[in-house]
Amino acid sequence: MDFQVVVLAGGNSKSLTPLVSKDVPKPLLPVANHPVLYYVLHQLEESNLKDLIVVVEGEDAGLLVGAWISGTFVDRLHVEIAAVPEDIGTAGALRAISHYLTAKDILVVSGDLVSDVSPGAVAATHRRHDAVVTATLCCVPISGSSESGSSGGKDKTKKPGRYNIIGLDPRKQFLLHIATGAEIEKDTRLQKHLLHAVGQMEIRSDLMDAHMYAFKRSVLQEVLDRKDTFQSLKQDVVPYLVRSQLKSEAVLSGIRQAEEDGNEKVSFPNNQVMVSQILANASTPSFHELYSMDADGSAQTRKTHKCCAYIASSSSYCVRLNSIQAFMDINRDVTGEADHLLSDNVIGPSPKLGTKTTVGPHCMLGEGSEMGDKCQVKRSVIGRHCRIGSHVKVVNSVVMNHVTIGDCCIIQGSVICSNVQLLERVVLKDCQVGAGFVVTAGSEYKGESLARKEK
């Protein structure tokens, strides 16, 4: 298909502290005992998109991620790891690796996306419409958009997510308007010539930007070069392309007419007809071309381009791991309603369970873990090689690898990172415990973040 795939995997995300660490960067955070990056790579492999550049923030994180990919996807994917500086944004990351991009079209996917939306279907839609950009849009989860970045709290309805305002043509193929982030706090302005041209524009606030985009490489590189202040694909690059897709040809058509008439002012008496014709011709192969030479080769005339949308079905699962709450939600979902994303067993090999210990539905117990007598596990994920004492209760929680939990502990709505020790009778509710932390016997915490100080 002549597509290159760029996976923006990230690095050490501040919104995920203390879950991330030097030893466990964001791409390796476990979702149902697989690194979150596994889910994107697996979907790409299923779509036969195997030529990948995985962009990681930081040299050390790049080495860790590269080692994991080599061991997991050996002989299955062709992956090049590109380490970039931290905090340069998604557009900055692509700008930093632009010399690697050589294919006609580029598929850019966020490495924290857990989804069953087919990247191959997005790529095929992009190629079919011959678009400059195709943005993947998914229905906002019932619990609210994960783009809000909230880090915790049981009642997610109290903090509304930051939604997108999307404008689509009547056939739901062309992306005509997009407002994201802080823009939504303001009055939304729509371009008159678009409204006149399409007659109807469907405005949607129930769609979430999935951070999976297909770009025409030449256009993407031109925008990144010319707009060197652009840092975000979602906030800067995509809205810029959407805003300019029809304006450029309409304006230049007016200018040419004005020049022929000897007038300095630009007027558009037939603007409605002209833009309608542009949309009607959107399926022609040359529609996306940004520039063409005049007949004598002396000047460049700017042409219009088109932006398209791939709208996933309402039954699709599509969530980004960009907050602690999202981390909890995804782990719960992948062992529950979205368990079709798992390719292995929920209960790992050789677990040892004590007498009268129960592991309820929508749970996962990792390889080599042991539990004592009369324990209860409900709607939780237990990692590999954990040692859990007797009379322990784990509910709505994620326990990572090599964790030791003493007798009579109660863990509810919490994340326990790798190599943590909870001594006996510890009670945790809505807490996050960073890697290697030791919680003393009899301690009780609610809504706390416990972590060792970085040296």
Side-chain angles (χ1 to χ4, degrees), residues 285-301:
S286 62
F287 185 84
H288 68 276
E289 294 177 2
L290 281 175
Y291 293 99
S292 65
M293 302 299 294
D294 285 348
D296 59 1
S298 60
Q300 285 187 324
T301 301

PDB file of all heavy atoms in Angstrom, residues 285-301:
ATOM      1  N   PRO A 285      -8.852  12.858  -9.073  1.00  0.00           N
ATOM      2  CA  PRO A 285      -7.498  12.531  -8.584  1.00  0.00           C
ATOM      3  C   PRO A 285      -6.657  13.748  -8.239  1.00  0.00           C
ATOM      4  O   PRO A 285      -5.814  13.694  -7.359  1.00  0.00           O
ATOM      5  CB  PRO A 285      -6.888  11.749  -9.760  1.00  0.00           C
ATOM      6  CG  PRO A 285      -8.065  11.211 -10.514  1.00  0.00           C
ATOM      7  CD  PRO A 285      -9.150  12.235 -10.370  1.00  0.00           C
ATOM      8  N   SER A 286      -6.876  14.867  -8.922  1.00  0.00           N
ATOM      9  CA  SER A 286      -6.013  16.039  -8.712  1.00  0.00           C
ATOM     10  C   SER A 286      -6.507  16.946  -7.601  1.00  0.00           C
ATOM     11  O   SER A 286      -5.905  17.980  -7.339  1.00  0.00           O
ATOM     12  CB  SER A 286      -5.914  16.846 -10.013  1.00  0.00           C
ATOM     13  OG  SER A 286      -7.199  17.319 -10.384  1.00  0.00           O
ATOM     14  N   PHE A 287      -7.589  16.575  -6.933  1.00  0.00           N
ATOM     15  CA  PHE A 287      -8.193  17.473  -5.944  1.00  0.00           C
ATOM     16  C   PHE A 287      -7.236  17.834  -4.825  1.00  0.00           C
ATOM     17  O   PHE A 287      -7.250  18.942  -4.320  1.00  0.00           O
ATOM     18  CB  PHE A 287      -9.444  16.804  -5.372  1.00  0.00           C
ATOM     19  CG  PHE A 287     -10.229  17.688  -4.435  1.00  0.00           C
ATOM     20  CD1 PHE A 287     -11.148  18.591  -4.919  1.00  0.00           C
ATOM     21  CD2 PHE A 287     -10.043  17.612  -3.067  1.00  0.00           C
ATOM     22  CE1 PHE A 287     -11.880  19.395  -4.080  1.00  0.00           C
ATOM     23  CE2 PHE A 287     -10.765  18.417  -2.204  1.00  0.00           C
ATOM     24  CZ  PHE A 287     -11.688  19.310  -2.715  1.00  0.00           C
ATOM     25  N   HIS A 288      -6.400  16.898  -4.413  1.00  0.00           N
ATOM     26  CA  HIS A 288      -5.533  17.121  -3.258  1.00  0.00           C
ATOM     27  C   HIS A 288      -4.306  17.949  -3.577  1.00  0.00           C
ATOM     28  O   HIS A 288      -3.585  18.361  -2.672  1.00  0.00           O
ATOM     29  CB  HIS A 288      -5.059  15.776  -2.699  1.00  0.00           C
ATOM     30  CG  HIS A 288      -4.126  15.063  -3.633  1.00  0.00           C
ATOM     31  ND1 HIS A 288      -4.566  14.286  -4.664  1.00  0.00           N
ATOM     32  CD2 HIS A 288      -2.770  15.035  -3.691  1.00  0.00           C
ATOM     33  CE1 HIS A 288      -3.527  13.782  -5.327  1.00  0.00           C
ATOM     34  NE2 HIS A 288      -2.431  14.227  -4.768  1.00  0.00           N
ATOM     35  N   GLU A 289      -3.996  18.172  -4.849  1.00  0.00           N
ATOM     36  CA  GLU A 289      -2.734  18.802  -5.203  1.00  0.00           C
ATOM     37  C   GLU A 289      -2.679  20.228  -4.681  1.00  0.00           C
ATOM     38  O   GLU A 289      -3.576  21.032  -4.921  1.00  0.00           O
ATOM     39  CB  GLU A 289      -2.543  18.796  -6.717  1.00  0.00           C
ATOM     40  CG  GLU A 289      -2.372  17.365  -7.258  1.00  0.00           C
ATOM     41  CD  GLU A 289      -2.248  17.354  -8.764  1.00  0.00           C
ATOM     42  OE1 GLU A 289      -2.259  18.453  -9.360  1.00  0.00           O
ATOM     43  OE2 GLU A 289      -2.144  16.270  -9.338  1.00  0.00           O
ATOM     44  N   LEU A 290      -1.618  20.535  -3.981  1.00  0.00           N
ATOM     45  CA  LEU A 290      -1.487  21.863  -3.383  1.00  0.00           C
ATOM     46  C   LEU A 290      -0.997  22.895  -4.383  1.00  0.00           C
ATOM     47  O   LEU A 290      -1.368  24.059  -4.324  1.00  0.00           O
ATOM     48  CB  LEU A 290      -0.520  21.808  -2.210  1.00  0.00           C
ATOM     49  CG  LEU A 290      -1.091  21.255  -0.907  1.00  0.00           C
ATOM     50  CD1 LEU A 290       0.002  21.143   0.125  1.00  0.00           C
ATOM     51  CD2 LEU A 290      -2.204  22.152  -0.394  1.00  0.00           C
ATOM     52  N   TYR A 291      -0.132  22.493  -5.326  1.00  0.00           N
ATOM     53  CA  TYR A 291       0.447  23.462  -6.247  1.00  0.00           C
ATOM     54  C   TYR A 291       0.476  22.898  -7.668  1.00  0.00           C
ATOM     55  O   TYR A 291       0.620  21.689  -7.870  1.00  0.00           O
ATOM     56  CB  TYR A 291       1.894  23.802  -5.846  1.00  0.00           C
ATOM     57  CG  TYR A 291       2.009  24.537  -4.550  1.00  0.00           C
ATOM     58  CD1 TYR A 291       2.331  23.864  -3.381  1.00  0.00           C
ATOM     59  CD2 TYR A 291       1.782  25.909  -4.481  1.00  0.00           C
ATOM     60  CE1 TYR A 291       2.436  24.546  -2.176  1.00  0.00           C
ATOM     61  CE2 TYR A 291       1.880  26.604  -3.285  1.00  0.00           C
ATOM     62  CZ  TYR A 291       2.217  25.906  -2.143  1.00  0.00           C
ATOM     63  OH  TYR A 291       2.310  26.580  -0.958  1.00  0.00           O
ATOM     64  N   SER A 292       0.338  23.760  -8.617  1.00  0.00           N
ATOM     65  CA  SER A 292       0.558  23.371 -10.011  1.00  0.00           C
ATOM     66  C   SER A 292       1.186  24.558 -10.741  1.00  0.00           C
ATOM     67  O   SER A 292       0.946  25.711 -10.392  1.00  0.00           O
ATOM     68  CB  SER A 292      -0.759  22.974 -10.689  1.00  0.00           C
ATOM     69  OG  SER A 292      -1.626  24.085 -10.769  1.00  0.00           O
ATOM     70  N   MET A 293       1.973  24.274 -11.760  1.00  0.00           N
ATOM     71  CA  MET A 293       2.637  25.338 -12.515  1.00  0.00           C
ATOM     72  C   MET A 293       1.699  25.892 -13.578  1.00  0.00           C
ATOM     73  O   MET A 293       0.892  25.161 -14.163  1.00  0.00           O
ATOM     74  CB  MET A 293       3.906  24.793 -13.189  1.00  0.00           C
ATOM     75  CG  MET A 293       4.916  24.194 -12.225  1.00  0.00           C
ATOM     76  SD  MET A 293       5.531  25.367 -11.003  1.00  0.00           S
ATOM     77  CE  MET A 293       6.429  26.487 -12.064  1.00  0.00           C
ATOM     78  N   ASP A 294       1.788  27.187 -13.820  1.00  0.00           N
ATOM     79  CA  ASP A 294       1.060  27.774 -14.934  1.00  0.00           C
ATOM     80  C   ASP A 294       1.616  27.230 -16.243  1.00  0.00           C
ATOM     81  O   ASP A 294       2.708  26.626 -16.277  1.00  0.00           O
ATOM     82  CB  ASP A 294       1.160  29.296 -14.914  1.00  0.00           C
ATOM     83  CG  ASP A 294       0.276  29.890 -13.827  1.00  0.00           C
ATOM     84  OD1 ASP A 294      -0.560  29.142 -13.283  1.00  0.00           O
ATOM     85  OD2 ASP A 294       0.430  31.096 -13.525  1.00  0.00           O
ATOM     86  N   ALA A 295       0.911  27.474 -17.329  1.00  0.00           N
ATOM     87  CA  ALA A 295       1.291  26.895 -18.622  1.00  0.00           C
ATOM     88  C   ALA A 295       2.704  27.274 -19.027  1.00  0.00           C
ATOM     89  O   ALA A 295       3.430  26.475 -19.623  1.00  0.00           O
ATOM     90  CB  ALA A 295       0.300  27.349 -19.692  1.00  0.00           C
ATOM     91  N   ASP A 296       3.115  28.517 -18.737  1.00  0.00           N
ATOM     92  CA  ASP A 296       4.461  28.949 -19.133  1.00  0.00           C
ATOM     93  C   ASP A 296       5.519  28.576 -18.100  1.00  0.00           C
ATOM     94  O   ASP A 296       6.693  28.898 -18.258  1.00  0.00           O
ATOM     95  CB  ASP A 296       4.479  30.458 -19.365  1.00  0.00           C
ATOM     96  CG  ASP A 296       4.078  31.244 -18.121  1.00  0.00           C
ATOM     97  OD1 ASP A 296       3.802  30.602 -17.078  1.00  0.00           O
ATOM     98  OD2 ASP A 296       4.051  32.487 -18.192  1.00  0.00           O
ATOM     99  N   GLY A 297       5.096  27.893 -16.995  1.00  0.00           N
ATOM    100  CA  GLY A 297       6.044  27.456 -15.973  1.00  0.00           C
ATOM    101  C   GLY A 297       6.586  28.559 -15.112  1.00  0.00           C
ATOM    102  O   GLY A 297       7.554  28.370 -14.381  1.00  0.00           O
ATOM    103  N   SER A 298       5.973  29.752 -15.186  1.00  0.00           N
ATOM    104  CA  SER A 298       6.551  30.906 -14.493  1.00  0.00           C
ATOM    105  C   SER A 298       6.019  31.111 -13.084  1.00  0.00           C
ATOM    106  O   SER A 298       6.607  31.848 -12.317  1.00  0.00           O
ATOM    107  CB  SER A 298       6.271  32.178 -15.304  1.00  0.00           C
ATOM    108  OG  SER A 298       4.865  32.362 -15.432  1.00  0.00           O
ATOM    109  N   ALA A 299       4.901  30.518 -12.729  1.00  0.00           N
ATOM    110  CA  ALA A 299       4.319  30.807 -11.419  1.00  0.00           C
ATOM    111  C   ALA A 299       3.607  29.574 -10.882  1.00  0.00           C
ATOM    112  O   ALA A 299       3.246  28.681 -11.643  1.00  0.00           O
ATOM    113  CB  ALA A 299       3.344  31.976 -11.511  1.00  0.00           C
ATOM    114  N   GLN A 300       3.421  29.577  -9.590  1.00  0.00           N
ATOM    115  CA  GLN A 300       2.685  28.507  -8.943  1.00  0.00           C
ATOM    116  C   GLN A 300       1.306  29.012  -8.534  1.00  0.00           C
ATOM    117  O   GLN A 300       1.167  30.112  -8.008  1.00  0.00           O
ATOM    118  CB  GLN A 300       3.411  28.005  -7.699  1.00  0.00           C
ATOM    119  CG  GLN A 300       4.616  27.135  -8.010  1.00  0.00           C
ATOM    120  CD  GLN A 300       5.189  26.542  -6.750  1.00  0.00           C
ATOM    121  OE1 GLN A 300       5.202  27.182  -5.716  1.00  0.00           O
ATOM    122  NE2 GLN A 300       5.660  25.316  -6.820  1.00  0.00           N
ATOM    123  N   THR A 301       0.303  28.232  -8.796  1.00  0.00           N
ATOM    124  CA  THR A 301      -1.045  28.565  -8.377  1.00  0.00           C
ATOM    125  C   THR A 301      -1.476  27.582  -7.298  1.00  0.00           C
ATOM    126  O   THR A 301      -1.374  26.376  -7.491  1.00  0.00           O
ATOM    127  CB  THR A 301      -2.024  28.475  -9.568  1.00  0.00           C
ATOM    128  OG1 THR A 301      -1.599  29.369 -10.578  1.00  0.00           O
ATOM    129  CG2 THR A 301      -3.446  28.823  -9.123  1.00  0.00           C
TER     130      THR A 301
END
